[in-house]
Structure formats: structure tokens, C-alpha cells
Amino acid sequence: MLFVFSTEGDAIKVYVRVRPPSEGTVLADGDHGLCLSVLSSNTIRLHSKPEPKIFTFDDVADMDTTQESVFSSVAKNIVESCMNGYNGTIFAYGQTGSGKTFTMMGPPDSDNFTHNLRGVIPRSFEYLFFLIEREKEKAGTGKSFLCKCSFIEIYNEQIFDLLDSASAGLFLREHITKGVFVVGAVEQVLTSAAEAYQVLTMGWRNRRVASTSMNRESSRSHAVFTITVESMEKNNEVMNIRSSQLNLVDLAGSERQKDTHTEGVRLKVSGEILQFLFC
Ligand SMILES: Nc1ncnc2c1ncn2[C@@H]1O[C@H](COP(=O)(O)OP(=O)(O)O)[C@@H](O)[C@H]1O
Ligand SMILES: [Mg+2]
């Protein structure tokens, strides 16, 4: 089971996704072998002892839920608000193996983002560029868009640029209007979803290479893909510029935060990361 958090302006929503048991897991009849059951589209019952507990969320996706349907409930609104100038963030939280990367990116070792099991991130690109094209058609030449993206990895309190594998650790800064941002991260201009897949693929490969050559265990790192959308519209000789950010995050396994030896440092770091993401 994993939690997907999304923020849209000030609103935070929490979704739960229950993953199917891994192959080879034998369950007793019915769902008695599972630690929870899905009661409705927004409640689950945890089979806890001595009494079961019921929890309510914005949405609950059971194990049969498709990637398309998870995208629709979790991300569609956020991408739409991003077009309207609101910042948004989507991240998946849960233990290693709970399906965070599957939900956000797609099946493991797949860098084919047209795969029918592709996750929230590639689907968000497609929808964003669909909306941009539609808006451009509606508004004609008076309106234009500029999309840029960056892709960073946060590992062991250090920030690495996945779009520039040669870069050394980067730093966070706080800016009066920009909020918290990463200094010196490569920003790549995007003109289509296909280009966005390419950038994602490149960064994803860099992440995999770094995880072997630099010994960065990827289950312990956060990967943050940020898209900045700027729209420019001329209105009675006045140029209106609107800018918003969409952060799409594949978080490290949540179990590390309970690691007693590193609790202090990690908690501080996760605090900074959360501040970064929410800003
Ligand atoms: N909803 C799902 N349907 C099918 N397979 C899934 C699902 N969620 C996770 N998996 C599979 O389970 C394994 C672990 O998932 P993964 O996304 O890597 O977990 P995490 O990123 O949380 O560590 C992967 O092989 C993945 O393809
Ligand atoms: Mg993962």
C-alpha cells in the first residue's frame, strides 16, 4: 500500500493505492491473507489487532485499478491547475516495494514511456501538452507558452542534477519571489510530450548509472522532475505572463526515516525536501 499526496495551491489530497501481491505470493481464500480490505472508493479497513480500524482518504485505488485511472484521479486536476497558474506537486510515499516508482514512472527497467503501463509522470506530460495545444488553438497567435524542466536526485542530503551527470552536488537557495529552488540545475526547454519523455529517459538512465557506479541506492533517493509552464498573452497591448510549477516526485522508501541511527539528520533533510516541494 502506498500513499499519493498531491498539492494544488494550498489544498493537499491523499490517495491510497493498494498494490497486488507480488507473483509467487500465495494467499489464503478471499482477502483474509491481506492486511487490509478496500471498503469503498475512499475507505479502507486495516485488519489490525485487537480491533480493525477504518480510514478515509480522498480516493482509494484497489489492486485492480489501472494506471490510467490512477492518473485521472490523482493528476488530471493538478495538470489543469498548472495551466491556470497554480503550482502543484505529486508524490508517492511508502515502503520500498510498495509501488511508488511503478505509480509515478511505470514498470521497472522500462524507459519506454509509451508503454501502456506508463505512470503518472509520462501521462502528465501528455496531458499538459494536449492542454497547451488546445489552448494555443483557442487563443490563436496572441498566446504562447514556454515549458522548461529540470530533473534532480536527492540522495544522502546531497542534490544531483540528473540532466548533467558531470555536475557536482547542487544547493538549495531561497529566493524572495521564486521561493526555494536548486541553484544551477540544468533547465531544458520542452516543446512536446515526446521531448519530455526523452529528457525523462536520459535522467532516468543517469540515475541508474549513478546508482551502480556511485553506489547510490535508488530506493534511498528522491527523484524530482519539475516542469515550469510560462504563458504569455497580449491583452490590449499589455503582456500578461503567468508562471507555475509542477513537481513530480518519486520518493525514497519511507522505511529509512525510521532508521534510529540517522533519525535526526534524515528528519531534518526530509523537512528541507518537503519545504522545497511545497514551495
Ligand atoms: N499496482 C501494481 N501493479 C503491478 N505491479 C506492481 C504494482 N505496484 C508495484 N508493482 C511491481 O512491484 C515491484 C515494486 O514496485 P516499485 O514501484 O519498484 O516499488 P517502490 O518504488 O515503492 O520501491 C515492481 O516490480 C513493480 O512493477
Ligand atoms: Mg522506487
Side-chain angles (χ1 to χ4, degrees):
M1 178 177 80
L2 64 90
F3 300 97
V4 179
F5 291 81
S6 73
T7 71
E8 182 185 347
D10 293 334
I12 299 181
K13 288 190 171 163
V14 185
Y15 307 83
V16 166
R17 184 179 202 181
V18 181
R19 56 155 299 170
S22 3
E23 268 174 58
T25 313
V26 184
L27 291 180
D29 14 58
D31 58 14
H32 297 304
L34 298 176
C35 61
L36 56 84
S37 17
V38 176
L39 299 183
S40 74
S41 63
N42 62 357
T43 47
I44 58 168
R45 180 196 289 128
L46 204 59
H47 301 175
S48 49
K49 297 269 160 55
E51 271 154 28
K53 290 193 179 111
I54 292 180
F55 294 93
T56 303
F57 300 92
D58 289 293
D59 196 66
V60 173
D62 66 19
M63 55 177 100
D64 304 320
T65 310
T66 60
Q67 295 282 69
E68 165 64 34
S69 149
V70 169
F71 165 77
S72 292
S73 46
V74 166
K76 245 181 148 171
N77 283 341
I78 310 268
V79 178
E80 285 161 9
S81 326
C82 182
M83 288 293 291
N84 295 323
Y86 293 95
N87 294 335
T89 294
I90 303 171
F91 60 87
Y93 177 91
Q95 289 188 349
T96 298
S98 56
K100 297 182 296 297
T101 303
F102 181 85
T103 298
M104 296 305 294
M105 300 283 294
D109 298 324
S110 147
D111 30 31
N112 169 8
F113 296 113
T114 53
H115 194 291
N116 64 347
L117 290 179
R118 68 196 182 283
V120 164
I121 298 182
R123 282 174 206 270
S124 299
F125 298 160
E126 290 153 25
Y127 192 50
L128 179 68
F129 283 98
F130 163 79
L131 293 176
I132 288 179
E133 288 311 316
R134 199 175 67 179
E135 192 78 3
K136 282 203 309 211
E137 258 167 45
K138 253 199 315 200
T141 51
K143 193 162 189 181
S144 62
F145 290 89
L146 175 65
C147 262
K148 288 179 291 188
C149 69
S150 66
F151 196 12
I152 58 158
E153 179 172 40
I154 305 171
Y155 178 79
N156 207 7
E157 296 169 73
Q158 282 176 294
I159 303 171
F160 299 95
D161 192 344
L162 291 174
L163 302 184
D164 175 11
S165 51
S167 81
L170 303 174
F171 295 95
L172 288 181
R173 285 274 151 71
E174 192 158 2
H175 185 271
I176 290 181
T177 52
K178 272 167 85 175
V180 180
F181 70 106
V182 179
V183 186
V186 168
E187 279 195 303
Q188 196 127 332
V189 173
L190 299 175
T191 58
S192 64
E195 250 175 47
Y197 296 151
Q198 278 173 12
V199 176
L200 185 65
T201 305
M202 179 177 88
W204 202 245
R205 287 195 185 135
N206 283 339
R207 189 184 191 198
R208 216 177 284 148
V209 169
S211 75
T212 2
S213 66
M214 315 288 281
N215 225 353
R216 279 187 229 156
E217 203 185 306
S218 66
S219 68
R220 297 177 62 174
S221 77
H222 308 289
V224 185
F225 195 98
T226 303
I227 304 183
T228 309
V229 182
E230 257 173 47
S231 69
M232 283 145 285
E233 189 170 26
K234 211 165 185 184
N235 223 336
N236 301 325
E237 299 306 306
V238 181
M239 187 66 100
N240 283 323
I241 300 182
R242 213 152 54 173
S243 173
S244 51
Q245 261 193 4
L246 179 62
N247 295 299
L248 302 161
V249 191
D250 182 28
L251 277 189
S254 58
E255 67 280 5
R256 304 288 165 177
Q257 263 135 38
K258 295 201 200 92
D259 194 324
T260 47
H261 297 294
T262 47
E263 200 165 283
V265 185
R266 288 217 183 274
L267 279 182
K268 178 173 155 277
V269 175
S270 33
E272 281 171 11
I273 291 162
L274 283 180
Q275 188 195 9
F276 166 66
L277 295 177
F278 283 117
C279 286

PDB file of all heavy atoms in Angstrom, residues 13 32-34 131 138 167 180 191 206 223 229 275:
ATOM      1  N   LYS A  13      -4.268  16.655  -1.055  1.00  0.00           N
ATOM      2  CA  LYS A  13      -5.134  15.481  -1.102  1.00  0.00           C
ATOM      3  C   LYS A  13      -4.296  14.233  -0.904  1.00  0.00           C
ATOM      4  O   LYS A  13      -3.140  14.196  -1.304  1.00  0.00           O
ATOM      5  CB  LYS A  13      -5.850  15.403  -2.440  1.00  0.00           C
ATOM      6  CG  LYS A  13      -6.922  16.458  -2.554  1.00  0.00           C
ATOM      7  CD  LYS A  13      -7.786  16.228  -3.752  1.00  0.00           C
ATOM      8  CE  LYS A  13      -8.975  17.191  -3.677  1.00  0.00           C
ATOM      9  NZ  LYS A  13      -9.629  17.302  -4.968  1.00  0.00           N
ATOM     10  N   HIS A  32      -8.408 -12.811   3.148  1.00  0.00           N
ATOM     11  CA  HIS A  32      -8.009 -12.989   4.543  1.00  0.00           C
ATOM     12  C   HIS A  32      -6.503 -12.931   4.718  1.00  0.00           C
ATOM     13  O   HIS A  32      -6.002 -12.656   5.789  1.00  0.00           O
ATOM     14  CB  HIS A  32      -8.552 -14.310   5.082  1.00  0.00           C
ATOM     15  CG  HIS A  32     -10.049 -14.332   5.081  1.00  0.00           C
ATOM     16  ND1 HIS A  32     -10.787 -13.364   5.719  1.00  0.00           N
ATOM     17  CD2 HIS A  32     -10.933 -15.171   4.481  1.00  0.00           C
ATOM     18  CE1 HIS A  32     -12.082 -13.624   5.525  1.00  0.00           C
ATOM     19  NE2 HIS A  32     -12.194 -14.710   4.774  1.00  0.00           N
ATOM     20  N   GLY A  33      -5.795 -13.190   3.615  1.00  0.00           N
ATOM     21  CA  GLY A  33      -4.344 -13.148   3.702  1.00  0.00           C
ATOM     22  C   GLY A  33      -3.796 -11.732   3.642  1.00  0.00           C
ATOM     23  O   GLY A  33      -2.619 -11.520   3.892  1.00  0.00           O
ATOM     24  N   LEU A  34      -4.630 -10.762   3.306  1.00  0.00           N
ATOM     25  CA  LEU A  34      -4.152  -9.383   3.179  1.00  0.00           C
ATOM     26  C   LEU A  34      -4.328  -8.634   4.496  1.00  0.00           C
ATOM     27  O   LEU A  34      -5.177  -8.986   5.304  1.00  0.00           O
ATOM     28  CB  LEU A  34      -4.933  -8.652   2.079  1.00  0.00           C
ATOM     29  CG  LEU A  34      -4.795  -9.222   0.666  1.00  0.00           C
ATOM     30  CD1 LEU A  34      -5.704  -8.453  -0.277  1.00  0.00           C
ATOM     31  CD2 LEU A  34      -3.351  -9.153   0.202  1.00  0.00           C
ATOM     32  N   LEU A 131      -3.207  19.998 -23.375  1.00  0.00           N
ATOM     33  CA  LEU A 131      -3.883  21.225 -22.946  1.00  0.00           C
ATOM     34  C   LEU A 131      -3.242  22.464 -23.567  1.00  0.00           C
ATOM     35  O   LEU A 131      -3.931  23.404 -23.951  1.00  0.00           O
ATOM     36  CB  LEU A 131      -3.858  21.341 -21.410  1.00  0.00           C
ATOM     37  CG  LEU A 131      -4.671  20.310 -20.636  1.00  0.00           C
ATOM     38  CD1 LEU A 131      -4.480  20.485 -19.134  1.00  0.00           C
ATOM     39  CD2 LEU A 131      -6.158  20.410 -20.983  1.00  0.00           C
ATOM     40  N   LYS A 138      -7.197  27.676 -29.384  1.00  0.00           N
ATOM     41  CA  LYS A 138      -8.292  28.554 -28.982  1.00  0.00           C
ATOM     42  C   LYS A 138      -7.898  30.024 -29.066  1.00  0.00           C
ATOM     43  O   LYS A 138      -8.636  30.859 -29.529  1.00  0.00           O
ATOM     44  CB  LYS A 138      -8.718  28.216 -27.540  1.00  0.00           C
ATOM     45  CG  LYS A 138     -10.033  27.501 -27.468  1.00  0.00           C
ATOM     46  CD  LYS A 138     -10.691  27.562 -26.093  1.00  0.00           C
ATOM     47  CE  LYS A 138      -9.758  27.294 -24.937  1.00  0.00           C
ATOM     48  NZ  LYS A 138     -10.392  26.909 -23.686  1.00  0.00           N
ATOM     49  N   SER A 167      27.778  17.127 -13.126  1.00  0.00           N
ATOM     50  CA  SER A 167      27.702  18.176 -12.113  1.00  0.00           C
ATOM     51  C   SER A 167      28.008  17.636 -10.719  1.00  0.00           C
ATOM     52  O   SER A 167      27.701  16.489 -10.391  1.00  0.00           O
ATOM     53  CB  SER A 167      26.311  18.802 -12.111  1.00  0.00           C
ATOM     54  OG  SER A 167      25.427  17.980 -11.386  1.00  0.00           O
ATOM     55  N   VAL A 180      11.919  28.456  -2.695  1.00  0.00           N
ATOM     56  CA  VAL A 180      13.106  27.616  -2.570  1.00  0.00           C
ATOM     57  C   VAL A 180      13.402  26.984  -3.933  1.00  0.00           C
ATOM     58  O   VAL A 180      12.498  26.496  -4.595  1.00  0.00           O
ATOM     59  CB  VAL A 180      12.877  26.516  -1.516  1.00  0.00           C
ATOM     60  CG1 VAL A 180      14.106  25.637  -1.375  1.00  0.00           C
ATOM     61  CG2 VAL A 180      12.529  27.149  -0.180  1.00  0.00           C
ATOM     62  N   THR A 191       9.081  21.170 -25.975  1.00  0.00           N
ATOM     63  CA  THR A 191       8.033  21.631 -26.869  1.00  0.00           C
ATOM     64  C   THR A 191       6.978  20.554 -27.133  1.00  0.00           C
ATOM     65  O   THR A 191       5.990  20.805 -27.789  1.00  0.00           O
ATOM     66  CB  THR A 191       8.613  22.103 -28.228  1.00  0.00           C
ATOM     67  OG1 THR A 191       9.322  20.994 -28.797  1.00  0.00           O
ATOM     68  CG2 THR A 191       9.573  23.266 -28.057  1.00  0.00           C
ATOM     69  N   ASN A 206      20.698   8.161 -16.203  1.00  0.00           N
ATOM     70  CA  ASN A 206      21.759   8.709 -15.346  1.00  0.00           C
ATOM     71  C   ASN A 206      21.573   8.266 -13.903  1.00  0.00           C
ATOM     72  O   ASN A 206      22.529   7.998 -13.190  1.00  0.00           O
ATOM     73  CB  ASN A 206      21.782  10.239 -15.406  1.00  0.00           C
ATOM     74  CG  ASN A 206      22.434  10.740 -16.675  1.00  0.00           C
ATOM     75  OD1 ASN A 206      23.206  10.010 -17.317  1.00  0.00           O
ATOM     76  ND2 ASN A 206      22.120  11.965 -17.062  1.00  0.00           N
ATOM     77  N   ALA A 223      13.712  11.327  -6.538  1.00  0.00           N
ATOM     78  CA  ALA A 223      13.912  11.908  -7.864  1.00  0.00           C
ATOM     79  C   ALA A 223      12.793  12.917  -8.096  1.00  0.00           C
ATOM     80  O   ALA A 223      11.611  12.607  -7.896  1.00  0.00           O
ATOM     81  CB  ALA A 223      13.879  10.825  -8.932  1.00  0.00           C
ATOM     82  N   VAL A 229       5.794  25.995 -16.387  1.00  0.00           N
ATOM     83  CA  VAL A 229       4.984  26.417 -17.535  1.00  0.00           C
ATOM     84  C   VAL A 229       4.804  27.925 -17.469  1.00  0.00           C
ATOM     85  O   VAL A 229       4.320  28.450 -16.462  1.00  0.00           O
ATOM     86  CB  VAL A 229       3.582  25.757 -17.508  1.00  0.00           C
ATOM     87  CG1 VAL A 229       2.774  26.166 -18.738  1.00  0.00           C
ATOM     88  CG2 VAL A 229       3.700  24.253 -17.435  1.00  0.00           C
ATOM     89  N   GLN A 275       9.875  21.239   2.375  1.00  0.00           N
ATOM     90  CA  GLN A 275       9.775  22.684   2.205  1.00  0.00           C
ATOM     91  C   GLN A 275       9.993  23.030   0.730  1.00  0.00           C
ATOM     92  O   GLN A 275       9.235  23.790   0.129  1.00  0.00           O
ATOM     93  CB  GLN A 275      10.840  23.370   3.063  1.00  0.00           C
ATOM     94  CG  GLN A 275      10.661  24.884   3.078  1.00  0.00           C
ATOM     95  CD  GLN A 275      11.894  25.583   3.599  1.00  0.00           C
ATOM     96  OE1 GLN A 275      12.951  24.981   3.805  1.00  0.00           O
ATOM     97  NE2 GLN A 275      11.777  26.868   3.799  1.00  0.00           N
TER      98      GLN A 275
END
